[in-house]
Amino acid sequence: MTSKITLDIDEALLQKAERWAQQQKLSLADVITNFLRQLPDNDLTPQQEHPLAQFAGILSDAEAKELQQVIADEFEQIDTNEW
């Protein structure tokens, strides 16, 4: 049994996915189905989430680069070979 679904996907991402599917000689439905088949079964116990995982993805790439630059500029760099 199959079901039809409706997805809201960014146009550029959809075009990219369609090109990739075409190169693989697959339909977009096959690509999505194959991806969903790789999801773990419900009976698997999830690994304990890292306490910092809730913060993943909240910075843009530009913000992350700026933060890395501030850390590099403002904090003492330690040579681990000196220990």
Side-chain angles (χ1 to χ4, degrees):
M1 179 179 163
T2 61
S3 297
K4 288 189 175 216
I5 62 170
T6 301
L7 301 172
D8 291 323
I9 300 175
D10 177 77
E11 185 66 31
L13 181 59
L14 178 60
Q15 290 174 359
K16 179 180 177 182
E18 288 173 334
R19 284 192 308 270
W20 188 87
Q22 187 177 29
Q23 290 171 351
Q24 303 302 311
K25 296 184 169 69
L26 295 169
S27 69
L28 190 54
D30 289 337
V31 171
I32 294 169
T33 299
N34 290 340
F35 172 79
L36 294 175
R37 284 190 179 122
Q38 295 176 26
L39 295 175
D41 293 332
N42 288 339
D43 60 348
L44 297 177
T45 55
Q47 294 180 353
Q48 186 175 6
E49 189 175 90
H50 190 281
L52 297 178
Q54 63 181 326
F55 301 110
I58 63 171
L59 294 178
S60 69
D61 288 345
E63 291 170 321
K65 286 179 184 177
E66 180 182 353
L67 183 57
Q68 288 174 331
Q69 189 61 50
V70 167
I71 291 170
D73 293 344
E74 301 293 328
F75 294 93
E76 178 183 357
Q77 301 298 309
I78 298 173
D79 184 356
T80 56
N81 294 324
E82 290 181 3
W83 290 55

